[in-house]
Amino acid sequence: MARDFDGTDDYLDMGSDASIDDFGAVTLACWIRFDTTMTFPRILEKADLADLNGWLWLKFTGASNTLYFARDFATVDGSWRGSTSLNNGTIYHIATTHDGTTGVATHYINGVVETLAATVTPSGALVADAASVLQAGIQNTLVAELDGFMAHIIYHNAVLTAADINVARWWGRPIGGLKVYHPLFTDKLTNEGSATADATATGTTMLAVALPVVRPGSAMMGSGVGW
C-alpha cells in the first residue's frame, strides 16, 4: 500500500512545529512512483516561494527528469541535481542528504549514490524555514503537484549513512529516533517519529501496490527481503 496523489491538489500537510523547524543537517527519503509528467512535481518541501525560505525536493522535469534538491542560503541558494532519469511508471527508492553548510548534497537512487549533473554552491548563512510548512506532493501555493504515489517518507535532522539509506530502502525505518516517519502503508497519518508532524490529507487516497519493505522481524522469520 502507498499514498496516491492524482496531480490535482492532492497533498499531505505536516505543519510547522519547533520540532521540525530549522534543521541544519537533513535526510529525506521515500519510495515513489511518478505516473505522468507534471511540471517540477514536488516530493517534499518546507519552503515559501516568496524567497524560498527553506528547502524543496522535486523531480526536475526541465532537464531529464532527475532528482533535485534546493536550500535557501542568505547570499546564494544551493541546488543539486542528479543524473538518473526518473521514468514514469517505475518504482524508485530515493534519498537525499545535506549537512546544512555549503557542502554538497548526496542523492541516492535505489541505494546507489548519484553523480551530480548540476550544482550551485551556496554561500552565506542557512536561512530559517520556521515560517514554512512541511508538505508532500505539492508546492505550498497548490501548484507543482505530484501524480504518483509515495510511501515510507523520512525527514530527519542528521545525515544518514549509505548503510542507513539501504536499511530505509528495505526495512522502512533505518534508525531509532527519526524525527518524521510516515510509512503510509495504511491510512494512518500519525507521525511515527519523535517530532510533532502528524499529516492532514487533502484529496489523496490509498493505493494497493507491492513494495519490497519488510519489518526486520519478518525477515528473520523467513519472509525474505526484496521484491
Side-chain angles (χ1 to χ4, degrees):
M1 300 292 287
R3 179 68 61 164
D4 191 47
F5 302 76
D6 70 2
T8 307
D9 298 344
D10 281 12
Y11 63 99
L12 300 179
D13 189 323
M14 290 162 269
S16 178
D17 181 82
S19 60
I20 57 170
D21 292 341
D22 300 330
F23 289 177
V26 295
T27 294
L28 311 167
C30 68
W31 279 97
I32 194 165
R33 186 185 73 198
F34 300 93
D35 290 339
T36 62
T37 302
M38 310 298 285
T39 302
F40 302 118
R42 292 302 194 267
I43 304 165
L44 290 171
E45 75 165 34
K46 199 172 189 297
D48 175 359
L49 286 187
D51 185 29
L52 190 55
N53 291 330
W55 54 267
L56 49 86
W57 197 39
L58 54 82
K59 178 179 177 179
F60 198 91
T61 53
S64 301
N65 298 316
T66 53
L67 190 61
Y68 177 90
F69 177 66
R71 290 192 93 172
D72 193 9
F73 285 77
T75 305
V76 177
D77 295 340
S79 64
W80 301 268
R81 179 166 58 81
S83 55
T84 298
S85 180
L86 300 173
N87 299 318
N88 293 337
T90 301
I91 300 172
Y92 299 95
H93 185 266
I94 60 174
T96 294
T97 65
H98 184 246
D99 63 9
T101 69
T102 56
V104 175
T106 301
H107 295 318
Y108 297 82
I109 306 294
N110 294 332
V112 178
V113 174
E114 280 276 88
T115 298
L116 295 180
T119 296
V120 176
T121 301
S123 64
L126 187 65
V127 174
D129 66 19
S132 303
V133 298
L134 179 62
Q135 292 183 316
I138 202 166
Q139 190 182 87
N140 66 358
T141 50
L142 304 185
V143 295
E145 298 97 336
L146 168 68
D147 183 8
F149 72 71
M150 277 191 280
H152 302 282
I153 293 174
I154 290 169
Y155 174 47
H156 189 53
N157 65 342
V159 173
L160 298 187
T161 66
D164 294 330
I165 299 299
N166 191 52
V167 175
R169 182 184 179 196
W170 299 119
W171 288 358
R173 193 191 313 264
I175 61 172
L178 287 173
K179 289 295 183 179
V180 177
Y181 178 53
H182 282 283
L184 304 181
F185 53 69
T186 71
D187 60 3
K188 180 174 74 68
L189 294 172
T190 303
N191 178 33
E192 292 194 4
S194 63
T196 299
D198 292 348
T200 300
T202 298
T204 66
T205 57
M206 295 304 298
L207 178 69
V209 61
L211 293 173
V213 179
V214 298
R215 295 296 188 187
S218 299
M220 288 185 289
M221 288 187 292
S223 297
V225 176
W227 295 99

